[in-house]
Amino acid sequence: MSLTTTTGRGELALQPGYFSSSAFVKAFRDDITSLIHAYHDSYGKETQIQPFQLFKQLWVSLGWKWLHFSVPEDRARDAFLHTACRLFIERTVRTEAPFTRAVALYGLHTFFHTQPSGTLPLLRSIAYIPIPIDQHTSLLSLPGTLQTPYLVPLAPAARNILSQFGTEGIFLLIPSSECGPFKPRSLPYEVVLDDTITTQPPDLLKKKGRPSKRERSRRAKNAVENLEKWLQENPHQGSDSLTDPSKATAELYHLHKASLLDKVDESKNEGAMQSDESLALLDASKHVVQRLKAAEMFLSSDNSGSQTTTSSRVGIERMEQTLKKENRGGLLSLLGN
């Protein structure tokens, strides 16, 4: 996502989408948190200054008074003002601590009422603060939550601010926050990734375009070195998988076969002459023999397959003899021996 655009005079200006992106939203949320912590540290030390007066001094000393002059372009400024007010309001909800809610309300009031006027060029300002109706109800109940001795001094300023907002008609009520009335619905809406940040080592970063001969040679050398290192660390696994790739498959087959036959033996030990498992194994063996006979008859009709048919008939006869012996494994007794 491009965060800037070029104006008619060749100057760079922030796009409105920047103020709903993580680049701005995360930074502004962190600034609000730092403002709340700084006020908390000063609030317990200054007993001679009124709470809201102390907040305004802190607002100026931390440089918040210059914030409005950072975005002069109209379209970007409108997005900036609405997003900033929205981020202040989100810290006034019931889930926040009463102290945090009060300081966020102080910040919302100060930010809104310090919008510059009479400047050249004229800076755009907003006349209303959109707020979901449920958050507005929660905000009106804020002074009632400041009841402890430590929080009581914050209540008068909170009441005056809410009364002033109500008298001036600053709040523009919108549907409940559950309906997602804001646009965008949630913040941040876009996530900006830093192209310079990567979890891979610098020598493994992918380069654009077709790799050079030198690069291909380096990759092949690294692959051989990694393979030799793995073979040294796993000599047995390496030799088995490279010299006899079927060994692992055969071992897995023997394991499953032994497990199946043990299951058949357990059923017989329980007193049944022929268990369900044993009958199922016998039926499956008979079905295999029948299918092979059908295939053998099909091949016998082809004169070119006489040698194949003869060997197939011998195999089928061996299977039938195995089934007549009624051993526990059926045709499995012929496999894997």
Side-chain angles (χ1 to χ4, degrees):
M1 181 187 70
S2 177
L3 302 180
T4 59
T5 186
T6 304
T7 62
R9 295 176 294 178
E11 299 176 354
L12 291 178
L14 290 171
Q15 292 187 12
Y18 165 76
F19 297 100
S20 61
S21 70
S22 59
F24 175 79
V25 171
K26 184 180 184 302
F28 201 85
R29 281 172 173 165
D30 292 342
D31 288 340
I32 294 176
T33 300
S34 299
L35 176 65
I36 295 172
H37 289 168
Y39 183 75
H40 184 273
D41 294 339
S42 302
Y43 179 73
K45 299 175 183 178
E46 296 289 345
T47 58
Q48 304 299 325
I49 306 177
Q50 294 295 326
F52 187 67
Q53 190 67 26
L54 174 63
F55 178 83
K56 290 194 294 184
Q57 293 180 6
L58 193 64
W59 181 276
V60 173
S61 64
L62 293 179
W64 282 78
K65 65 177 182 178
W66 305 113
L67 187 61
H68 282 290
F69 298 98
S70 62
V71 186
E73 200 270 328
D74 284 352
R75 291 179 62 249
R77 182 169 177 80
D78 186 73
F80 160 68
L81 294 174
H82 281 95
T83 301
C85 291
R86 180 176 172 180
L87 293 176
F88 272 115
I89 289 176
E90 75 176 15
R91 300 303 300 271
T92 66
V93 296
R94 294 181 185 274
T95 55
E96 297 285 348
F99 186 91
T100 298
R101 297 174 65 191
V103 180
L105 177 61
Y106 289 0
L108 176 65
H109 173 272
T110 306
F111 179 80
F112 181 83
H113 283 99
T114 55
Q115 297 180 87
S117 59
T119 60
L120 291 175
L122 185 64
L123 293 178
R124 183 182 181 88
S125 61
I126 58 175
Y128 305 100
I129 300 176
I131 182 172
I133 189 169
D134 57 322
Q135 294 183 2
H136 179 260
T137 302
S138 173
L139 195 58
L140 294 179
S141 65
L142 172 61
T145 64
L146 306 173
Q147 299 295 334
T148 64
Y150 183 77
L151 300 176
V152 165
L154 300 172
R159 293 191 186 94
N160 291 337
I161 290 173
L162 293 174
S163 177
Q164 182 179 358
F165 277 156
T167 302
E168 297 175 355
I170 300 300
F171 285 132
L172 176 64
L173 297 182
I174 58 179
S176 174
S177 55
E178 297 178 353
C179 302
F182 286 112
K183 186 179 180 181
R185 185 185 184 96
S186 60
L187 293 175
Y189 182 69
E190 304 93 353
V191 177
V192 180
L193 300 179
D194 190 348
D195 294 337
T196 62
I197 299 178
T198 179
T199 57
Q200 296 180 333
D203 58 337
L204 296 181
L205 293 178
K206 293 183 178 179
K207 300 178 181 180
K208 295 182 178 180
R210 185 175 299 174
S212 62
K213 292 183 178 179
R214 182 177 180 182
E215 178 66 16
R216 291 197 297 268
S217 176
R218 184 186 67 81
R219 293 179 182 177
K221 183 179 179 181
N222 290 339
V224 172
E225 291 177 352
N226 291 335
L227 177 59
E228 291 178 349
K229 181 179 178 181
W230 183 84
L231 290 175
Q232 292 175 0
E233 296 176 351
N234 307 274
H236 300 292
Q237 296 182 13
S239 60
D240 291 344
S241 59
L242 294 177
T243 61
D244 189 6
S246 64
K247 184 176 181 180
T249 303
E251 292 178 352
L252 183 61
Y253 164 76
H254 282 294
L255 180 62
H256 288 304
K257 175 183 173 181
S259 176
L260 175 61
L261 296 180
D262 290 342
K263 182 65 176 177
V264 173
D265 291 341
E266 289 179 3
S267 300
K268 288 184 176 181
N269 292 335
E270 293 177 357
M273 294 300 295
Q274 278 191 313
S275 63
D276 294 338
E277 292 81 358
S278 178
L279 292 175
L281 190 58
L282 182 60
D283 290 341
S285 299
K286 292 180 179 179
H287 180 70
V288 171
V289 173
Q290 292 174 359
R291 293 296 298 271
L292 288 175
K293 284 184 177 181
E296 190 269 339
M297 292 177 62
F298 175 79
L299 292 175
S300 63
S301 61
D302 187 357
N303 296 330
S304 62
S306 58
Q307 183 177 359
T308 304
T309 305
T310 301
S311 60
S312 300
R313 187 178 301 110
V314 174
I316 294 174
E317 291 176 354
R318 186 183 177 190
M319 293 181 188
E320 291 178 332
Q321 292 175 2
T322 302
L323 292 180
K324 291 178 181 179
K325 295 179 181 179
E326 297 183 354
N327 54 58
R328 63 170 185 155
L331 293 183
L332 291 179
S333 61
L334 296 175
L335 304 175
N337 292 329

